Amino acid sequence: MEQVGESVDELREKLSKMKKLMEERKGSTLGELSARKRRETSDIIDGNFLSWIFGCALVVILSVSFYAFYNLYQAVLKKFHSHHTEL
């Protein structure tokens, strides 16, 4: 009788494990699996981090553009200086 009692307890435990596995596998479509995976994994590259990266890249591009146009302006002023010699 004890063997039957132990085996019933083991079977109940296995059944509960199988129920848990089936609950975890519920929603096994590809979209739901990828959504669950995205929620479970926390990557270092998220939206906020990408915003900072693109913001820094924009600042670098704007500053290099300003520097280039300023040097071009200075070169044009040096080449065509505006000293009025007619007076």
Side-chain angles (χ1 to χ4, degrees):
M1 197 69 170
E2 284 183 29
Q3 277 186 338
V4 172
E6 289 176 1
S7 65
V8 169
D9 289 337
E10 290 173 2
L11 288 174
R12 284 183 182 162
E13 185 178 327
K14 288 181 183 179
L15 181 63
S16 67
K17 287 181 183 178
M18 289 300 289
K19 283 183 181 179
K20 286 180 186 177
L21 285 174
M22 292 305 290
E23 285 296 321
E24 288 176 2
R25 294 196 74 190
K26 187 185 271 187
S28 61
T29 63
L30 192 58
E32 292 171 346
L33 287 175
S34 65
R36 186 182 335 143
K37 186 176 180 182
R38 268 187 262 127
R39 279 186 306 225
E40 290 173 356
T41 60
S42 60
D43 291 334
I44 198 167
I45 300 177
D46 58 347
N48 195 17
F49 183 71
L50 283 177
S51 297
W52 276 100
I53 294 296
F54 286 127
C56 291
L58 179 66
V59 167
V60 167
I61 290 170
L62 289 176
S63 61
V64 167
S65 299
F66 177 76
Y67 177 75
F69 281 111
Y70 178 75
N71 281 336
L72 178 65
Y73 177 73
Q74 291 297 325
V76 168
L77 281 182
K78 186 186 255 188
K79 177 93 172 158
F80 304 108
H81 58 286
S82 61
H83 289 219
H84 296 286
T85 57
E86 64 270 0
L87 293 178

